[in-house]
Amino acid sequence: MIPFSILDLAVITQGSTPADAFRNTFDLARLGDSLGFHRYWLAEHHSMPGIASAATSVLIGQVAARTEHIRVGSGGVMLPNHSPLAIAEQFGTLETLFPGRIDLGLGRAPGADQRTAMALRRDPHAPDRFPQDVVEVLHYFEPSDPADAHLVRAVPGAGLRVPVWILGSSLFSAVLAAQLGLPYAFASHFAPGQMEEAIALYRSRFEPSERCQRPRVMLTVNIVAADDEAEGKRLATSLHQYFIALRRGRPIPYPPPIDAPNWLPQEQAMLDHTLSCTFAGSPESILPRLSRFIDRHRPDELMIAFPLYDHAARRRSAELAMAMRDRLG
């Protein structure tokens, strides 16, 4: 049975605060733990009024402390914003605190606009060094020689086998993951354009490593499920409004759904493309579409975002998603 996992951005809804978002994150993580979801990943974004997961490693620790079995990790940490040593130390600390439950997903994008990236003291050439920085992170997790007084070590971190994933939405990330023999997660929930080509390239060029013996693909989708078909479609309008605001260059807190959306034709076309891996409606309509998606792309794991405004509806969507997985067989 294909594992289902949860992707969370600690969404800040209109009229709420980051503290509310964190309470909802902890509640959803506990629910995911009890339902049998495999992982709970949090994504690094900065200067976004609707996203509270900027300090990703801090939030990962808080989620892991409130759950028992589910793996917790980053989907992802945007490595160009950080030094490889600092990330190895942070995730070495997390792995030491929560052994066997921590994942490190690494991405190349800034998770921010250019002005915010500069405020993060981000080297504009850092994305070009992403492959070397990933290798450096991997190196810090290798056992170190205690006799070498000049060796730079990640303490904690050295000798810990923290699973490392490459995240991406392009052919570049697919080739890098294949070359390094690492599992690969594709951001099909908001950038599906190169999905098929990327996963085919990754599988064909994969070189086995100690960390990963065979190609391992995770695909991310949005699921907005409700007991009623029309209600599921209505709830998805929150996601539509959010993406339209992003494309207009005016990010907003996550908005409530609306009953009568009236997008411009070019906006509707953008939504149809960008959110083509979004499944909204009732389980009866979602299940056959989701089954076809899995059969066609053969992911080893499905990472699911539940982009709903109302937290009770988000919980219900997660419950329905897991019930659908059981019916997939």
Side-chain angles (χ1 to χ4, degrees):
M1 186 177 293
I2 183 171
F4 275 18
S5 296
I6 296 175
L7 176 65
D8 185 18
L9 279 66
V11 169
I12 306 170
T13 58
Q14 287 185 10
S16 71
T17 67
D20 297 321
F22 294 149
R23 281 190 288 270
N24 290 339
T25 283
F26 301 150
D27 182 68
L28 184 62
R30 286 189 292 264
L31 177 65
D33 201 14
S34 68
L35 290 174
F37 282 92
H38 187 47
R39 308 176 201 272
Y40 196 98
W41 278 9
L42 294 135
E44 177 184 346
H45 292 271
H46 298 278
S47 194
M48 299 287 286
I51 299 175
S53 54
T56 316
S57 60
V58 175
L59 199 52
I60 288 169
Q62 293 295 315
V63 169
R66 289 166 168 81
T67 52
E68 297 182 8
H69 308 291
I70 196 167
R71 299 190 63 87
V72 189
S74 59
V77 158
M78 301 297 109
L79 190 55
N81 296 338
H82 312 274
S83 80
L85 177 59
I87 292 303
E89 290 172 338
Q90 290 171 21
F91 281 78
T93 299
L94 289 166
E95 175 65 19
T96 301
L97 290 169
F98 308 101
R101 294 183 55 210
I102 299 300
D103 300 321
L104 173 55
L106 296 172
R108 184 171 65 125
D113 57 35
Q114 290 185 346
R115 182 178 300 178
T116 304
M118 293 304 296
L120 288 164
R121 306 296 189 266
R122 181 170 175 265
D123 181 345
H125 302 292
D128 300 329
R129 296 195 303 272
F130 181 67
Q132 294 87 346
D133 285 351
V134 172
V135 171
E136 187 175 344
V137 170
L138 296 174
H139 169 75
Y140 287 128
F141 287 132
E142 295 298 323
S144 59
D145 182 359
D148 188 348
H150 301 288
L151 183 69
V152 176
R153 300 177 176 86
V155 182
L160 299 179
R161 302 302 287 180
V162 178
V164 176
W165 292 68
I166 297 296
L167 278 58
S169 58
S170 69
L171 305 185
F172 176 92
S173 57
V175 171
L176 178 62
Q179 290 175 340
L180 295 179
L182 294 174
Y184 181 49
F186 192 88
S188 35
H189 63 306
F190 74 89
Q194 293 186 301
M195 176 182 63
E196 292 194 10
E197 188 177 358
I199 60 180
L201 194 62
Y202 167 72
R203 285 168 171 153
S204 66
R205 295 195 182 185
F206 183 82
E207 300 177 14
S209 69
E210 288 186 7
R211 286 181 167 270
C212 192
Q213 297 298 310
R214 61 173 184 83
R216 183 166 181 82
V217 172
M218 179 192 295
L219 298 179
T220 307
V221 301
N222 300 301
I223 290 184
V224 182
D227 294 287
D228 175 75
E229 175 73 11
E231 179 63 5
K233 297 288 189 183
R234 188 185 76 88
L235 293 174
T237 61
S238 293
L239 181 63
H240 300 161
Q241 294 174 78
Y242 188 75
F243 265 89
I244 287 173
L246 284 178
R247 290 302 172 94
R248 291 173 176 172
R250 298 192 296 271
I252 57 175
Y254 207 70
I258 55 178
D259 293 321
N262 185 25
W263 320 128
L264 296 174
Q266 60 268 30
E267 291 173 334
Q268 185 62 58
M270 180 275 295
L271 292 174
D272 291 343
H273 171 73
T274 302
L275 301 179
S276 62
C277 294
T278 296
F279 301 88
S282 67
E284 287 68 29
S285 73
I286 292 174
L287 185 60
R289 290 182 283 138
L290 191 62
S291 180
R292 288 194 296 269
F293 179 88
I294 293 170
D295 290 344
R296 177 174 180 175
H297 303 297
R298 299 177 291 109
D300 298 284
E301 187 169 337
L302 210 62
M303 177 71 68
I304 303 170
F306 296 104
L308 291 91
Y309 171 82
D310 180 73
H311 184 63
R314 188 181 304 130
R315 285 177 56 94
R316 183 58 179 156
S317 190
E319 292 169 347
L320 293 172
M322 190 54 76
M324 284 187 279
R325 189 199 73 149
D326 293 340
R327 292 169 62 185
L328 285 169

